[in-house]
Amino acid sequence: MSRFTIQRVAVLGAGVMGAQIAAHLINVRVPVVLFDLAKDGADKSAIARQAIANLKKLKPSPLGVAEEADLIRPANYDEHLEWLRECDLVIEAIAERMDWKHALYARIAPYLAEGAILASNTSGLSIGQLAEPLPEALRSRFCGIHFFNPPRYMPLVELIATPVTRADVLDTLEAFCTTTLGKNVVRAKDTPNFIANRIGIAGMLSTMREAERYGLSFDVVDDLTGKRLGRASSGTFRTADVVGLDTLAHVIRTMQTQLSPETDPFYDSFATPAVLQALLDKGHLGQKTKAGFYKKVGRDVLRFDLARGDYVPAGQKADEVYGRMLKKPAPERLRLLRNAEGPQGQFLWAILRNGFHYAALHLQSIAETARDVDQAMRWGFGMQQGPFELWQEAGWLEVARMVQEDIDAGRALCKTPLPAWVFEGPVAERGGVHQPEGSWNPASGRFEPPRTLPVHGRQLYRERVLGEAGPDWRTDGTTVYEDDAIRLWTLTRPGLDDVLIASLKTKMHAISPAVVEGLDRAVQEAEARFAGLVVWSGEEPFSVGADLQATLPAFAAMGVQAIESVEAEMQRVMLRLRYAQVPTVAAVRGMALGGGCELAVHCARRVAHMESYIGLVEVGVGLIPGAGGLTYIARRAAENARLRAGGGSADVDLLPFLTEGFKAAAMATVGTSALESRKLGYLLDSDIIVPHRDELLYVAIRTAQAMREAGYRPPLKRPFPVAGRSGKATILGSLVNMRDGGFITAYDFHIAQRIAHVVTGGDVEPGTLVSEEYLMQLEREAFCALITQPKTQERIMALLNSGKPLRN
């Protein structure tokens, strides 16, 4: 049976969202054509071309590597509609006007390939109404696909079907969005603003309204509604600035025009807040116009004051008593807030109560189950818990009674009581909407398990909601060895149980002497009993590097000899990983810094999540990479030069191949994506980049198995040439210019000299053949010399005490 595969995509509309969706398609290596209106002149695709150029300037970058924007193919509707015949998926992302979308559909329909999927990236228009004028054959292949901004970073995609959308179309799109795009999919009902924006924007309006009621400033509200509340660190008003106040206003208008008091009891609270309207009238649209609820002037952050119609100094913080309340267990936390006498506590209870009330009233109309609501809020609005999860954790019936009492007393935003299922039946009896067998569907009156497609089989530890059954990677499988620093274990699933997994347990997965000992044991166990070894720790980061705090006591007691011993053992184990008799695979997710980077590069292969940030950052603590990182840079330069020379190494200038690696280490450059880390040399072309973080372990295990099946043998140890003293002199010349130009401090220059000494092989002739062990000896000498320096010790203590680097 043939299988439909999405190989090429067209995006219609080169606005903010359309261009960034196209950028993310390039990130995941999907060819894409970006369409927009034809412009008068020689270059009719100038609108799309300019949008592509603008992608290179955006922060945060929508692209893993900025220059890859040029891989997007610009097009216009006058000249290039024939190109649509090559596309398996067409994503329409033009302005939110039903008539404009209908007109575009009529224009493109004759050019769509047979079997191609057409999807609208609308944030709230009715998918059923959008589909009405489509030809019947196309209508069954049409649906909504709602990306969240910015598309590269936000994990949520909502899929919305029409009554006639084929089930296989949705399944195909979900598989594509999951594995290829790395997104988490929630299927929403065709209601205004779908799930996340419906709940989220109602919540933002509630927050603005309650902030005004209790007289709280934007900065205090953001302090209360950010990380303290388990939500995005930007809080409420900063989030609005990032999203764009015009975008926020559009979503609010959708609620105002498509809902009514009959369809939404909260309708009266959907009025555009006066402060938002004032900012819109001034053209202050948030981050995109550099002024919104906040404005930055020099180093000062100002907030808008509606009474004055101007900006005033910001920086107020919440009362710390509420910060302490928010750290309490959920049942105690909500009781304390509900009984709080101060306005900040009353405000917090009010927005939580309104959120519970709104989610419960609308669950049946907007989503299949409570799981969809909670996951949509996690993935679309950065919440640690969705509203139903928090409600359930705090005590389902007790919270329900508190909410209903406020409704009865007229303190809530609307008078409609909570639905009957909240107090009666299975949810009340079981203490919440999420149970081991599934989540509550009020339409069916059952707890329903999550939808399972073949693509979900790649997610060995799929993200779950509170109360849902499922394995926990910390305890699942068969433990081979475990202590406080590391767990060595295997899966028990047939076909995946022959690869050993090493999971670090230290804080931030720092590499302590105990971790090094555990990794050594892991290689020994893998060589004796398994097909391969995967280093995977289940959650971010991969590793922030060496555990300096664990080694400082030994340094204080025994001096530099203790550090030299620790470094020598780390280097030995890194080479043990490189030359293991079974394939070793680093499954990298999040930060792999310093020793974490060294651990990754010494494995035989790397499988990295797209949002991996890899680099050698030891300069920030006044040190050099000491676990083989500089040795890796020198060896890779020699290997690349040898490859360029066609296998020979005589008379090849190593410096061009060495410079980028040296600069990355000397400037502590970190790749801001797996793609950029590949460009820096920390990932190789043979390494695998995985878009979806929950597929990382599966791909890493399969990679190790494939390598073993292909007859994997470790690389042969061989000496390699170094740039020598003349290469070092050239590098030092550029360093002098950087120091004298004020780009680096004098101590940075001193550290960079040490790095140059190692990567060029020390005081030897150019082209001298050296071993990895020789260069690692140079690393140890430089590392131990630096750790005795007062300025290095100042940097280390600054980082340990404040978490921030010191550049002295």
Side-chain angles (χ1 to χ4, degrees), residues 20-21 23-24 27 60-65 147-155 181-183 609-613 671-676 691:
Q20 292 199 47
I21 291 169
H24 188 60
N27 289 337
S61 176
L63 292 147
V65 177
F147 289 85
F148 278 67
N149 191 26
R152 170 185 164 185
Y153 301 97
M154 295 302 293
L181 302 186
K183 300 303 174 187
H609 178 234
M610 177 69 70
E611 297 305 323
S612 294
Y613 309 99
T672 57
S673 68
L675 295 171
E676 191 171 64

PDB file of all heavy atoms in Angstrom, residues 20-21 23-24 27 60-65 147-155 181-183 609-613 671-676 691:
ATOM      1  N   GLN A  20       7.758  32.976   9.249  1.00  0.00           N
ATOM      2  CA  GLN A  20       8.416  32.201  10.302  1.00  0.00           C
ATOM      3  C   GLN A  20       8.054  30.712  10.233  1.00  0.00           C
ATOM      4  O   GLN A  20       8.866  29.861  10.602  1.00  0.00           O
ATOM      5  CB  GLN A  20       8.077  32.782  11.673  1.00  0.00           C
ATOM      6  CG  GLN A  20       8.701  34.150  11.893  1.00  0.00           C
ATOM      7  CD  GLN A  20       8.777  34.530  13.355  1.00  0.00           C
ATOM      8  OE1 GLN A  20       9.201  33.742  14.186  1.00  0.00           O
ATOM      9  NE2 GLN A  20       8.359  35.742  13.674  1.00  0.00           N
ATOM     10  N   ILE A  21       6.868  30.390   9.766  1.00  0.00           N
ATOM     11  CA  ILE A  21       6.540  28.978   9.518  1.00  0.00           C
ATOM     12  C   ILE A  21       7.461  28.438   8.426  1.00  0.00           C
ATOM     13  O   ILE A  21       8.003  27.327   8.541  1.00  0.00           O
ATOM     14  CB  ILE A  21       5.061  28.824   9.122  1.00  0.00           C
ATOM     15  CG1 ILE A  21       4.153  29.136  10.321  1.00  0.00           C
ATOM     16  CG2 ILE A  21       4.790  27.406   8.608  1.00  0.00           C
ATOM     17  CD1 ILE A  21       2.686  29.264   9.952  1.00  0.00           C
ATOM     18  N   ALA A  23      10.413  29.506   7.725  1.00  0.00           N
ATOM     19  CA  ALA A  23      11.753  29.400   8.311  1.00  0.00           C
ATOM     20  C   ALA A  23      11.900  28.102   9.091  1.00  0.00           C
ATOM     21  O   ALA A  23      12.928  27.412   8.992  1.00  0.00           O
ATOM     22  CB  ALA A  23      12.018  30.599   9.230  1.00  0.00           C
ATOM     23  N   HIS A  24      10.875  27.748   9.853  1.00  0.00           N
ATOM     24  CA  HIS A  24      10.993  26.523  10.640  1.00  0.00           C
ATOM     25  C   HIS A  24      10.984  25.290   9.743  1.00  0.00           C
ATOM     26  O   HIS A  24      11.640  24.297  10.059  1.00  0.00           O
ATOM     27  CB  HIS A  24       9.887  26.426  11.685  1.00  0.00           C
ATOM     28  CG  HIS A  24      10.096  25.281  12.633  1.00  0.00           C
ATOM     29  ND1 HIS A  24      11.209  25.172  13.425  1.00  0.00           N
ATOM     30  CD2 HIS A  24       9.358  24.166  12.882  1.00  0.00           C
ATOM     31  CE1 HIS A  24      11.152  24.052  14.130  1.00  0.00           C
ATOM     32  NE2 HIS A  24      10.040  23.424  13.816  1.00  0.00           N
ATOM     33  N   ASN A  27      14.408  24.853   8.904  1.00  0.00           N
ATOM     34  CA  ASN A  27      15.156  24.294  10.041  1.00  0.00           C
ATOM     35  C   ASN A  27      15.118  22.767  10.041  1.00  0.00           C
ATOM     36  O   ASN A  27      16.107  22.110  10.376  1.00  0.00           O
ATOM     37  CB  ASN A  27      14.581  24.797  11.364  1.00  0.00           C
ATOM     38  CG  ASN A  27      14.866  26.260  11.627  1.00  0.00           C
ATOM     39  OD1 ASN A  27      15.816  26.821  11.088  1.00  0.00           O
ATOM     40  ND2 ASN A  27      14.047  26.879  12.454  1.00  0.00           N
ATOM     41  N   PRO A  60      14.039  36.573  19.003  1.00  0.00           N
ATOM     42  CA  PRO A  60      14.886  35.416  18.797  1.00  0.00           C
ATOM     43  C   PRO A  60      14.797  34.914  17.366  1.00  0.00           C
ATOM     44  O   PRO A  60      13.760  35.038  16.721  1.00  0.00           O
ATOM     45  CB  PRO A  60      14.331  34.395  19.785  1.00  0.00           C
ATOM     46  CG  PRO A  60      12.903  34.783  19.968  1.00  0.00           C
ATOM     47  CD  PRO A  60      12.882  36.281  19.880  1.00  0.00           C
ATOM     48  N   SER A  61      15.882  34.338  16.884  1.00  0.00           N
ATOM     49  CA  SER A  61      15.957  33.970  15.479  1.00  0.00           C
ATOM     50  C   SER A  61      14.983  32.844  15.144  1.00  0.00           C
ATOM     51  O   SER A  61      14.944  31.826  15.833  1.00  0.00           O
ATOM     52  CB  SER A  61      17.383  33.531  15.126  1.00  0.00           C
ATOM     53  OG  SER A  61      17.426  33.090  13.789  1.00  0.00           O
ATOM     54  N   PRO A  62      14.199  33.016  14.080  1.00  0.00           N
ATOM     55  CA  PRO A  62      13.313  31.922  13.647  1.00  0.00           C
ATOM     56  C   PRO A  62      14.069  30.810  12.927  1.00  0.00           C
ATOM     57  O   PRO A  62      13.504  29.769  12.631  1.00  0.00           O
ATOM     58  CB  PRO A  62      12.342  32.630  12.696  1.00  0.00           C
ATOM     59  CG  PRO A  62      13.111  33.786  12.163  1.00  0.00           C
ATOM     60  CD  PRO A  62      14.036  34.226  13.266  1.00  0.00           C
ATOM     61  N   LEU A  63      15.355  31.048  12.667  1.00  0.00           N
ATOM     62  CA  LEU A  63      16.177  30.102  11.921  1.00  0.00           C
ATOM     63  C   LEU A  63      17.272  29.532  12.801  1.00  0.00           C
ATOM     64  O   LEU A  63      17.863  30.240  13.628  1.00  0.00           O
ATOM     65  CB  LEU A  63      16.820  30.796  10.713  1.00  0.00           C
ATOM     66  CG  LEU A  63      15.840  31.216   9.611  1.00  0.00           C
ATOM     67  CD1 LEU A  63      16.317  32.479   8.934  1.00  0.00           C
ATOM     68  CD2 LEU A  63      15.694  30.086   8.592  1.00  0.00           C
ATOM     69  N   GLY A  64      17.572  28.242  12.606  1.00  0.00           N
ATOM     70  CA  GLY A  64      18.692  27.655  13.324  1.00  0.00           C
ATOM     71  C   GLY A  64      20.010  28.252  12.885  1.00  0.00           C
ATOM     72  O   GLY A  64      20.924  28.442  13.688  1.00  0.00           O
ATOM     73  N   VAL A  65      20.137  28.560  11.599  1.00  0.00           N
ATOM     74  CA  VAL A  65      21.297  29.239  11.031  1.00  0.00           C
ATOM     75  C   VAL A  65      20.748  30.351  10.141  1.00  0.00           C
ATOM     76  O   VAL A  65      20.028  30.075   9.180  1.00  0.00           O
ATOM     77  CB  VAL A  65      22.188  28.282  10.221  1.00  0.00           C
ATOM     78  CG1 VAL A  65      23.349  29.027   9.587  1.00  0.00           C
ATOM     79  CG2 VAL A  65      22.697  27.147  11.106  1.00  0.00           C
ATOM     80  N   PHE A 147      -0.450  27.385  14.337  1.00  0.00           N
ATOM     81  CA  PHE A 147       0.865  27.495  14.973  1.00  0.00           C
ATOM     82  C   PHE A 147       0.836  28.638  15.988  1.00  0.00           C
ATOM     83  O   PHE A 147       0.098  29.606  15.841  1.00  0.00           O
ATOM     84  CB  PHE A 147       1.951  27.804  13.939  1.00  0.00           C
ATOM     85  CG  PHE A 147       2.274  26.666  13.022  1.00  0.00           C
ATOM     86  CD1 PHE A 147       1.523  26.448  11.869  1.00  0.00           C
ATOM     87  CD2 PHE A 147       3.340  25.820  13.280  1.00  0.00           C
ATOM     88  CE1 PHE A 147       1.830  25.410  11.003  1.00  0.00           C
ATOM     89  CE2 PHE A 147       3.646  24.781  12.429  1.00  0.00           C
ATOM     90  CZ  PHE A 147       2.895  24.571  11.283  1.00  0.00           C
ATOM     91  N   PHE A 148       1.697  28.530  16.988  1.00  0.00           N
ATOM     92  CA  PHE A 148       1.823  29.601  17.970  1.00  0.00           C
ATOM     93  C   PHE A 148       3.126  30.355  17.734  1.00  0.00           C
ATOM     94  O   PHE A 148       4.119  29.793  17.267  1.00  0.00           O
ATOM     95  CB  PHE A 148       1.734  29.037  19.393  1.00  0.00           C
ATOM     96  CG  PHE A 148       0.312  28.834  19.824  1.00  0.00           C
ATOM     97  CD1 PHE A 148      -0.476  27.871  19.217  1.00  0.00           C
ATOM     98  CD2 PHE A 148      -0.256  29.639  20.798  1.00  0.00           C
ATOM     99  CE1 PHE A 148      -1.794  27.709  19.568  1.00  0.00           C
ATOM    100  CE2 PHE A 148      -1.583  29.484  21.159  1.00  0.00           C
ATOM    101  CZ  PHE A 148      -2.354  28.523  20.549  1.00  0.00           C
ATOM    102  N   ASN A 149       3.121  31.605  18.051  1.00  0.00           N
ATOM    103  CA  ASN A 149       4.220  32.514  17.750  1.00  0.00           C
ATOM    104  C   ASN A 149       5.199  32.599  18.928  1.00  0.00           C
ATOM    105  O   ASN A 149       4.767  32.822  20.052  1.00  0.00           O
ATOM    106  CB  ASN A 149       3.646  33.907  17.438  1.00  0.00           C
ATOM    107  CG  ASN A 149       4.677  34.845  16.852  1.00  0.00           C
ATOM    108  OD1 ASN A 149       5.642  34.414  16.232  1.00  0.00           O
ATOM    109  ND2 ASN A 149       4.490  36.132  17.068  1.00  0.00           N
ATOM    110  N   PRO A 150       6.522  32.441  18.666  1.00  0.00           N
ATOM    111  CA  PRO A 150       7.183  32.168  17.386  1.00  0.00           C
ATOM    112  C   PRO A 150       7.186  30.679  17.060  1.00  0.00           C
ATOM    113  O   PRO A 150       7.432  29.855  17.948  1.00  0.00           O
ATOM    114  CB  PRO A 150       8.609  32.699  17.626  1.00  0.00           C
ATOM    115  CG  PRO A 150       8.824  32.602  19.090  1.00  0.00           C
ATOM    116  CD  PRO A 150       7.480  32.777  19.745  1.00  0.00           C
ATOM    117  N   PRO A 151       6.922  30.332  15.797  1.00  0.00           N
ATOM    118  CA  PRO A 151       6.728  28.922  15.426  1.00  0.00           C
ATOM    119  C   PRO A 151       7.914  28.009  15.712  1.00  0.00           C
ATOM    120  O   PRO A 151       7.725  26.833  15.980  1.00  0.00           O
ATOM    121  CB  PRO A 151       6.443  28.991  13.915  1.00  0.00           C
ATOM    122  CG  PRO A 151       5.934  30.370  13.685  1.00  0.00           C
ATOM    123  CD  PRO A 151       6.653  31.238  14.668  1.00  0.00           C
ATOM    124  N   ARG A 152       9.125  28.550  15.649  1.00  0.00           N
ATOM    125  CA  ARG A 152      10.283  27.688  15.924  1.00  0.00           C
ATOM    126  C   ARG A 152      10.280  27.206  17.378  1.00  0.00           C
ATOM    127  O   ARG A 152      10.605  26.048  17.652  1.00  0.00           O
ATOM    128  CB  ARG A 152      11.587  28.444  15.639  1.00  0.00           C
ATOM    129  CG  ARG A 152      12.822  27.679  16.131  1.00  0.00           C
ATOM    130  CD  ARG A 152      14.111  28.459  15.962  1.00  0.00           C
ATOM    131  NE  ARG A 152      15.180  27.868  16.776  1.00  0.00           N
ATOM    132  CZ  ARG A 152      16.390  28.370  16.910  1.00  0.00           C
ATOM    133  NH1 ARG A 152      16.714  29.494  16.283  1.00  0.00           N
ATOM    134  NH2 ARG A 152      17.294  27.777  17.678  1.00  0.00           N
ATOM    135  N   TYR A 153       9.904  28.065  18.295  1.00  0.00           N
ATOM    136  CA  TYR A 153      10.100  27.771  19.708  1.00  0.00           C
ATOM    137  C   TYR A 153       8.854  27.262  20.416  1.00  0.00           C
ATOM    138  O   TYR A 153       8.963  26.521  21.387  1.00  0.00           O
ATOM    139  CB  TYR A 153      10.592  29.041  20.438  1.00  0.00           C
ATOM    140  CG  TYR A 153      11.880  29.581  19.878  1.00  0.00           C
ATOM    141  CD1 TYR A 153      11.880  30.617  18.946  1.00  0.00           C
ATOM    142  CD2 TYR A 153      13.102  29.056  20.272  1.00  0.00           C
ATOM    143  CE1 TYR A 153      13.061  31.118  18.431  1.00  0.00           C
ATOM    144  CE2 TYR A 153      14.293  29.556  19.767  1.00  0.00           C
ATOM    145  CZ  TYR A 153      14.268  30.597  18.835  1.00  0.00           C
ATOM    146  OH  TYR A 153      15.439  31.072  18.326  1.00  0.00           O
ATOM    147  N   MET A 154       7.676  27.677  19.975  1.00  0.00           N
ATOM    148  CA  MET A 154       6.457  27.285  20.674  1.00  0.00           C
ATOM    149  C   MET A 154       6.046  25.876  20.258  1.00  0.00           C
ATOM    150  O   MET A 154       5.872  25.597  19.073  1.00  0.00           O
ATOM    151  CB  MET A 154       5.328  28.270  20.374  1.00  0.00           C
ATOM    152  CG  MET A 154       5.606  29.671  20.905  1.00  0.00           C
ATOM    153  SD  MET A 154       5.889  29.702  22.694  1.00  0.00           S
ATOM    154  CE  MET A 154       4.273  29.259  23.293  1.00  0.00           C
ATOM    155  N   PRO A 155       5.889  24.980  21.215  1.00  0.00           N
ATOM    156  CA  PRO A 155       5.660  23.572  20.847  1.00  0.00           C
ATOM    157  C   PRO A 155       4.255  23.241  20.378  1.00  0.00           C
ATOM    158  O   PRO A 155       4.043  22.196  19.776  1.00  0.00           O
ATOM    159  CB  PRO A 155       5.978  22.816  22.144  1.00  0.00           C
ATOM    160  CG  PRO A 155       5.793  23.803  23.239  1.00  0.00           C
ATOM    161  CD  PRO A 155       6.136  25.146  22.657  1.00  0.00           C
ATOM    162  N   LEU A 181       8.254  18.388  12.360  1.00  0.00           N
ATOM    163  CA  LEU A 181       8.326  19.756  12.876  1.00  0.00           C
ATOM    164  C   LEU A 181       8.671  19.824  14.351  1.00  0.00           C
ATOM    165  O   LEU A 181       9.012  20.890  14.865  1.00  0.00           O
ATOM    166  CB  LEU A 181       7.000  20.485  12.631  1.00  0.00           C
ATOM    167  CG  LEU A 181       6.524  20.588  11.179  1.00  0.00           C
ATOM    168  CD1 LEU A 181       5.282  21.469  11.088  1.00  0.00           C
ATOM    169  CD2 LEU A 181       7.626  21.141  10.283  1.00  0.00           C
ATOM    170  N   GLY A 182       8.543  18.708  15.072  1.00  0.00           N
ATOM    171  CA  GLY A 182       8.886  18.706  16.495  1.00  0.00           C
ATOM    172  C   GLY A 182       7.835  19.337  17.369  1.00  0.00           C
ATOM    173  O   GLY A 182       8.142  19.817  18.471  1.00  0.00           O
ATOM    174  N   LYS A 183       6.579  19.332  16.946  1.00  0.00           N
ATOM    175  CA  LYS A 183       5.517  19.997  17.685  1.00  0.00           C
ATOM    176  C   LYS A 183       4.678  19.004  18.481  1.00  0.00           C
ATOM    177  O   LYS A 183       4.654  17.803  18.224  1.00  0.00           O
ATOM    178  CB  LYS A 183       4.601  20.767  16.716  1.00  0.00           C
ATOM    179  CG  LYS A 183       5.333  21.846  15.916  1.00  0.00           C
ATOM    180  CD  LYS A 183       6.013  22.840  16.815  1.00  0.00           C
ATOM    181  CE  LYS A 183       6.861  23.841  16.076  1.00  0.00           C
ATOM    182  NZ  LYS A 183       7.635  24.692  17.001  1.00  0.00           N
ATOM    183  N   HIS A 609      18.554  17.132  20.042  1.00  0.00           N
ATOM    184  CA  HIS A 609      17.304  17.845  19.828  1.00  0.00           C
ATOM    185  C   HIS A 609      17.616  19.175  19.144  1.00  0.00           C
ATOM    186  O   HIS A 609      18.675  19.778  19.363  1.00  0.00           O
ATOM    187  CB  HIS A 609      16.617  18.081  21.180  1.00  0.00           C
ATOM    188  CG  HIS A 609      15.339  18.848  21.064  1.00  0.00           C
ATOM    189  ND1 HIS A 609      15.088  20.009  21.775  1.00  0.00           N
ATOM    190  CD2 HIS A 609      14.240  18.634  20.301  1.00  0.00           C
ATOM    191  CE1 HIS A 609      13.888  20.450  21.470  1.00  0.00           C
ATOM    192  NE2 HIS A 609      13.356  19.644  20.575  1.00  0.00           N
ATOM    193  N   MET A 610      16.688  19.620  18.309  1.00  0.00           N
ATOM    194  CA  MET A 610      16.890  20.858  17.562  1.00  0.00           C
ATOM    195  C   MET A 610      17.292  22.016  18.467  1.00  0.00           C
ATOM    196  O   MET A 610      18.202  22.793  18.163  1.00  0.00           O
ATOM    197  CB  MET A 610      15.597  21.211  16.804  1.00  0.00           C
ATOM    198  CG  MET A 610      15.646  22.524  16.045  1.00  0.00           C
ATOM    199  SD  MET A 610      16.749  22.496  14.632  1.00  0.00           S
ATOM    200  CE  MET A 610      15.832  21.417  13.540  1.00  0.00           C
ATOM    201  N   GLU A 611      16.629  22.147  19.615  1.00  0.00           N
ATOM    202  CA  GLU A 611      16.949  23.246  20.524  1.00  0.00           C
ATOM    203  C   GLU A 611      18.005  22.789  21.532  1.00  0.00           C
ATOM    204  O   GLU A 611      17.767  22.724  22.735  1.00  0.00           O
ATOM    205  CB  GLU A 611      15.682  23.737  21.224  1.00  0.00           C
ATOM    206  CG  GLU A 611      14.643  24.326  20.284  1.00  0.00           C
ATOM    207  CD  GLU A 611      15.196  25.448  19.406  1.00  0.00           C
ATOM    208  OE1 GLU A 611      16.032  26.231  19.904  1.00  0.00           O
ATOM    209  OE2 GLU A 611      14.803  25.538  18.227  1.00  0.00           O
ATOM    210  N   SER A 612      19.185  22.470  21.024  1.00  0.00           N
ATOM    211  CA  SER A 612      20.332  22.123  21.859  1.00  0.00           C
ATOM    212  C   SER A 612      21.350  23.256  21.751  1.00  0.00           C
ATOM    213  O   SER A 612      21.588  23.776  20.655  1.00  0.00           O
ATOM    214  CB  SER A 612      20.958  20.805  21.403  1.00  0.00           C
ATOM    215  OG  SER A 612      20.063  19.734  21.604  1.00  0.00           O
ATOM    216  N   TYR A 613      21.957  23.589  22.877  1.00  0.00           N
ATOM    217  CA  TYR A 613      22.870  24.729  22.939  1.00  0.00           C
ATOM    218  C   TYR A 613      24.218  24.212  23.437  1.00  0.00           C
ATOM    219  O   TYR A 613      24.380  23.927  24.621  1.00  0.00           O
ATOM    220  CB  TYR A 613      22.283  25.805  23.848  1.00  0.00           C
ATOM    221  CG  TYR A 613      20.858  26.133  23.459  1.00  0.00           C
ATOM    222  CD1 TYR A 613      19.781  25.584  24.145  1.00  0.00           C
ATOM    223  CD2 TYR A 613      20.593  26.941  22.358  1.00  0.00           C
ATOM    224  CE1 TYR A 613      18.471  25.848  23.752  1.00  0.00           C
ATOM    225  CE2 TYR A 613      19.287  27.209  21.967  1.00  0.00           C
ATOM    226  CZ  TYR A 613      18.232  26.661  22.665  1.00  0.00           C
ATOM    227  OH  TYR A 613      16.942  26.919  22.267  1.00  0.00           O
ATOM    228  N   GLY A 671      26.520  27.377  20.393  1.00  0.00           N
ATOM    229  CA  GLY A 671      25.570  27.245  19.295  1.00  0.00           C
ATOM    230  C   GLY A 671      24.159  27.475  19.794  1.00  0.00           C
ATOM    231  O   GLY A 671      23.740  26.863  20.782  1.00  0.00           O
ATOM    232  N   THR A 672      23.413  28.338  19.145  1.00  0.00           N
ATOM    233  CA  THR A 672      22.057  28.668  19.597  1.00  0.00           C
ATOM    234  C   THR A 672      21.001  27.750  19.003  1.00  0.00           C
ATOM    235  O   THR A 672      19.809  27.997  19.120  1.00  0.00           O
ATOM    236  CB  THR A 672      21.718  30.127  19.249  1.00  0.00           C
ATOM    237  OG1 THR A 672      21.871  30.328  17.839  1.00  0.00           O
ATOM    238  CG2 THR A 672      22.646  31.084  19.993  1.00  0.00           C
ATOM    239  N   SER A 673      21.439  26.687  18.375  1.00  0.00           N
ATOM    240  CA  SER A 673      20.568  25.623  17.895  1.00  0.00           C
ATOM    241  C   SER A 673      21.472  24.455  17.552  1.00  0.00           C
ATOM    242  O   SER A 673      22.703  24.610  17.456  1.00  0.00           O
ATOM    243  CB  SER A 673      19.795  26.057  16.641  1.00  0.00           C
ATOM    244  OG  SER A 673      20.684  26.221  15.538  1.00  0.00           O
ATOM    245  N   ALA A 674      20.896  23.291  17.367  1.00  0.00           N
ATOM    246  CA  ALA A 674      21.716  22.161  16.933  1.00  0.00           C
ATOM    247  C   ALA A 674      22.343  22.440  15.573  1.00  0.00           C
ATOM    248  O   ALA A 674      23.473  22.024  15.306  1.00  0.00           O
ATOM    249  CB  ALA A 674      20.868  20.894  16.887  1.00  0.00           C
ATOM    250  N   LEU A 675      21.630  23.168  14.721  1.00  0.00           N
ATOM    251  CA  LEU A 675      22.165  23.489  13.402  1.00  0.00           C
ATOM    252  C   LEU A 675      23.393  24.381  13.517  1.00  0.00           C
ATOM    253  O   LEU A 675      24.391  24.174  12.818  1.00  0.00           O
ATOM    254  CB  LEU A 675      21.089  24.177  12.556  1.00  0.00           C
ATOM    255  CG  LEU A 675      19.870  23.328  12.201  1.00  0.00           C
ATOM    256  CD1 LEU A 675      18.791  24.191  11.567  1.00  0.00           C
ATOM    257  CD2 LEU A 675      20.272  22.190  11.271  1.00  0.00           C
ATOM    258  N   GLU A 676      23.340  25.378  14.389  1.00  0.00           N
ATOM    259  CA  GLU A 676      24.495  26.258  14.563  1.00  0.00           C
ATOM    260  C   GLU A 676      25.637  25.518  15.259  1.00  0.00           C
ATOM    261  O   GLU A 676      26.811  25.766  14.975  1.00  0.00           O
ATOM    262  CB  GLU A 676      24.101  27.503  15.352  1.00  0.00           C
ATOM    263  CG  GLU A 676      25.184  28.564  15.346  1.00  0.00           C
ATOM    264  CD  GLU A 676      24.718  29.883  15.943  1.00  0.00           C
ATOM    265  OE1 GLU A 676      24.407  29.909  17.157  1.00  0.00           O
ATOM    266  OE2 GLU A 676      24.688  30.881  15.203  1.00  0.00           O
ATOM    267  N   PRO A 691      13.861  16.815  15.677  1.00  0.00           N
ATOM    268  CA  PRO A 691      12.992  17.956  15.973  1.00  0.00           C
ATOM    269  C   PRO A 691      12.181  17.812  17.264  1.00  0.00           C
ATOM    270  O   PRO A 691      11.957  18.795  17.957  1.00  0.00           O
ATOM    271  CB  PRO A 691      12.075  18.032  14.743  1.00  0.00           C
ATOM    272  CG  PRO A 691      12.860  17.383  13.653  1.00  0.00           C
ATOM    273  CD  PRO A 691      13.606  16.272  14.337  1.00  0.00           C
TER     274      PRO A 691
END
